[in-house]
Amino acid sequence: MKRRKFVKYAGLSSASLIVSSCAGVQLPTPNQEEDFKLDLSKLEKKNLSLAYVASIDAAPIIIAKEKGIFERYGLAVGLRRQNSWSEIEKGLTDWKIDAAQGLFAMPMLAQLGKQKTPLVSLMMLNWNGSAVTLGQKAWKWGIRPGSEYNNYLEFSNNFRDYARNKGQLNFATESPASMDTYLLRYWLGSMGLNPENEVKFTSINPSQLIYKLQAGTIDGFSVAEPWNQQAVAQQIGFIPYNSKEIWQGHPGKILISMQGWVDKYPNTARALVAALIDASRFCDQTENRLEVAQILSQSQYLNVPQPLIETSLIDKYMYENWENFNNESFKFPDFNLYHFQNTDYLKKPDQVNYPWRSHGVWLLTQMVRWNDLGLTEYPKDADQMLDKMYPIKVYEDAAEILKLELPKERDKKELKTAFIDQREFDPSQPVAYLNQFEIRAV
């Protein structure tokens, strides 16, 4: 392991930046007919109720509300902050909310579950944005952030020794359906640990995770920011790896609704998606990130100190508590991606919001790997299933409104450099990909 003097960080608030007015991106208005093709008189429903769970990846929904973007598309939107994803799913299925921030796996688990609930994803809201956090027990045993090791193998050997010395680890996530749960399983499996019998998983409200970690009732958790950074700032935990280091460019949260709602209000659905694409573009403008952090920190939204949000939005990410914040923080301009930033794994016309079917293929391979919902083999009609769960038509129509160029294919290959275990993912060969994994449910 690389050696360095470790020091405590006195207080994250000292790193807060002065909030100044930020230049916004140019947004379309209904009178710009050459750039904005939407007949607002044809919206079937203009007063909408949208729900979200407090996390940084809810930014497009919150920013669309705060910056008046919904109104530009003829929509009057009320936001509801929910405590859990089960509340959001119930609100959607009871038709008490129109659409919501959702977990990427929710449509798949809902449609393949006993109730066959027709939940669908209309667009991606973000990529990346999460992390794994470990508690003081791991630190005292000698585990450190991955960057402190010479390579991933060295970290894996150290962490596996810790896990097996301790016995069964107890990890928490916000839901079994969260992408963080699937990435956590993947990460553990890549180190030779079997999540099926060597790890216990618990579902806890994201804002409560830090208290469970502090009390020692869990050994770690995986969740979207800012809750990992809160644990670091309060010296309760540290981060071995963030989620983009496990899979760079992985899907985060989605815009979710009932298929019946989309069928009943098709023009409204297009306007809603178009508005959120614009809000996503606003969130990805570097000059707007500080303003986004300020808005998200407000009591009616995330209700956390603004510096905790800035760390993952403005290139000041922390893995552990260090005294010299400015020199010892890490720069990840792509830690949160909302629409497009030029990276090694995101090139135009590819875009974050696009409903990539290949993301669903990956998720389905992992559901089979862990025997979720009793799945023991990859379905032969998987593409047809995924097209129902993650449809493309509404997004294509919204993109036409915005004159947005779309990818030519719905499936994209993930190079081996994308994953922490250097395992390439070819969505055209899901069975071959699945058969590579020795660690899986029996």
Side-chain angles (χ1 to χ4, degrees):
M1 183 189 295
K2 302 173 188 175
R3 298 297 177 186
R4 186 185 63 218
K5 180 181 179 181
F6 292 95
V7 294
K8 292 185 177 181
Y9 174 61
L12 183 60
S13 59
S14 63
S16 179
L17 300 175
I18 299 174
V19 178
S20 60
S21 60
C22 298
V25 296
Q26 181 63 39
L27 297 172
T29 56
N31 59 4
Q32 293 176 317
E33 292 298 332
E34 69 280 5
D35 295 322
F36 189 82
K37 304 296 183 183
L38 179 65
D39 188 346
L40 301 183
S41 67
K42 293 184 178 180
L43 298 182
E44 303 90 355
K45 186 177 184 181
K46 297 185 177 181
N47 295 301
L48 303 182
S49 176
L50 267 61
Y52 69 96
V53 169
S55 62
I56 292 179
D57 44 27
I61 292 175
I62 294 170
I63 292 301
K65 171 69 174 179
E66 283 288 321
K67 300 298 293 183
I69 300 174
F70 286 132
E71 286 81 355
R72 293 175 182 268
Y73 290 82
L75 303 172
V77 174
L79 300 186
R80 295 186 185 181
R81 186 173 69 183
Q82 303 291 341
N83 292 319
S84 69
W85 299 106
S86 59
E87 288 182 10
I88 281 184
E89 185 168 357
K90 186 174 185 344
L92 289 167
T93 55
D94 291 344
W95 287 63
K96 292 183 179 179
I97 55 177
D98 296 286
Q101 171 200 27
L103 300 171
F104 183 68
M106 285 175 73
M108 193 176 296
L109 293 172
Q111 292 202 32
L112 295 178
K114 292 181 180 180
Q115 302 300 322
K116 309 297 182 187
T117 307
L119 286 173
V120 295
S121 170
L122 299 180
M123 63 179 286
M124 288 297 313
L125 293 176
N126 75 298
W127 285 2
N128 303 330
S130 301
V132 177
T133 295
L134 298 174
Q136 292 300 319
K137 294 178 183 177
W139 181 271
K140 291 177 182 178
W141 200 87
I143 304 298
R144 294 294 183 265
S147 60
E148 293 304 307
Y149 295 79
N150 292 311
N151 51 54
Y152 184 55
L153 179 61
E154 185 182 11
F155 174 87
S156 298
N157 291 336
N158 195 17
F159 186 82
R160 189 170 55 251
D161 290 345
Y162 159 70
R164 289 178 174 161
N165 179 74
K166 186 181 182 303
Q168 189 179 52
L169 292 175
N170 188 348
F171 271 99
T173 61
E174 54 189 331
S175 167
S178 75
M179 196 64 188
D180 298 308
T181 299
Y182 287 97
L183 288 176
L184 183 57
R185 284 170 163 178
Y186 190 95
W187 180 65
L188 292 166
S190 73
M191 294 186 288
L193 294 168
N194 192 329
E196 295 296 292
N197 51 43
E198 296 187 84
V199 181
K200 178 184 177 182
F201 291 91
T202 306
S203 296
I204 300 175
N205 183 299
S207 63
Q208 299 302 308
L209 287 168
I210 186 173
Y211 304 112
K212 299 294 184 181
L213 188 65
Q214 185 175 29
T217 56
I218 58 175
D219 298 299
F221 59 78
S222 182
V223 72
E225 293 297 355
W227 310 114
N228 306 283
Q229 290 294 275
Q230 183 184 42
V232 170
Q234 296 183 15
Q235 303 184 41
I236 293 170
F238 68 99
I239 296 170
Y241 287 94
N242 65 58
S243 63
K244 72 175 288 288
E245 292 170 320
I246 300 173
W247 176 9
Q248 62 178 10
H250 70 80
K253 301 301 192 298
I254 57 176
L255 176 68
I256 193 170
S257 189
M258 294 285 284
Q259 182 62 57
W261 185 89
V262 178
D263 295 339
K264 187 175 182 180
Y265 308 115
N267 293 320
T268 299
R270 295 183 189 103
L272 177 60
V273 170
L276 287 171
I277 293 173
D278 252 337
S280 299
R281 293 196 295 196
F282 183 94
C283 292
D284 257 354
Q285 296 292 319
T286 303
E287 64 269 26
N288 295 331
R289 284 294 181 98
L290 189 58
E291 184 180 7
V292 170
Q294 187 274 325
I295 291 172
L296 293 179
S297 70
Q298 295 176 17
S299 59
Q300 69 270 34
Y301 297 127
L302 271 61
N303 192 30
V304 297
Q306 183 177 334
L308 291 180
I309 298 175
E310 291 176 8
T311 56
S312 60
L313 284 180
I314 314 177
D315 294 355
K316 292 182 177 294
Y317 199 73
M318 297 198 312
Y319 285 89
E320 58 181 286
N321 282 291
W322 293 332
E323 189 173 54
N324 193 339
F325 176 74
N326 288 325
N327 290 334
E328 301 287 54
S329 57
F330 286 75
K331 294 184 179 297
F332 294 118
D334 59 336
F335 188 93
N336 289 282
L337 291 176
Y338 297 105
H339 179 69
F340 180 82
Q341 290 184 30
N342 189 26
T343 71
D344 291 340
Y345 55 92
L346 184 61
K347 303 292 183 182
K348 290 183 177 180
D350 293 357
Q351 55 211 240
V352 169
N353 308 122
Y354 186 76
W356 294 97
R357 183 171 56 198
S358 52
H359 285 164
V361 173
W362 185 89
L363 175 62
L364 191 52
T365 66
Q366 300 306 297
M367 289 183 65
V368 174
R369 180 184 181 186
W370 306 119
N371 201 7
D372 290 348
L373 298 180
L375 290 171
T376 57
E377 60 181 26
Y378 193 82
K380 294 181 180 179
D381 59 345
D383 284 353
Q384 291 78 12
M385 291 167 46
L386 294 172
D387 286 346
K388 288 177 58 179
M389 300 164 183
Y390 305 91
I392 189 67
K393 184 62 168 64
V394 172
Y395 190 86
E396 288 178 335
D397 291 344
E400 185 177 355
I401 292 170
L402 298 169
K403 293 188 174 181
L404 185 65
E405 184 182 3
L406 295 179
K408 293 180 172 57
E409 302 289 341
R410 288 205 65 191
D411 296 315
K412 65 185 181 77
K413 182 184 293 187
E414 304 284 349
L415 301 178
K416 66 179 183 180
T417 53
F419 290 92
I420 196 166
D421 58 356
Q422 301 289 293
R423 197 186 299 269
E424 182 179 273
F425 169 61
D426 184 349
S428 69
Q429 302 293 326
V431 176
Y433 176 73
L434 180 59
N435 288 339
Q436 295 179 51
F437 297 103
E438 294 182 5
I439 295 179
R440 55 191 296 176
V442 179

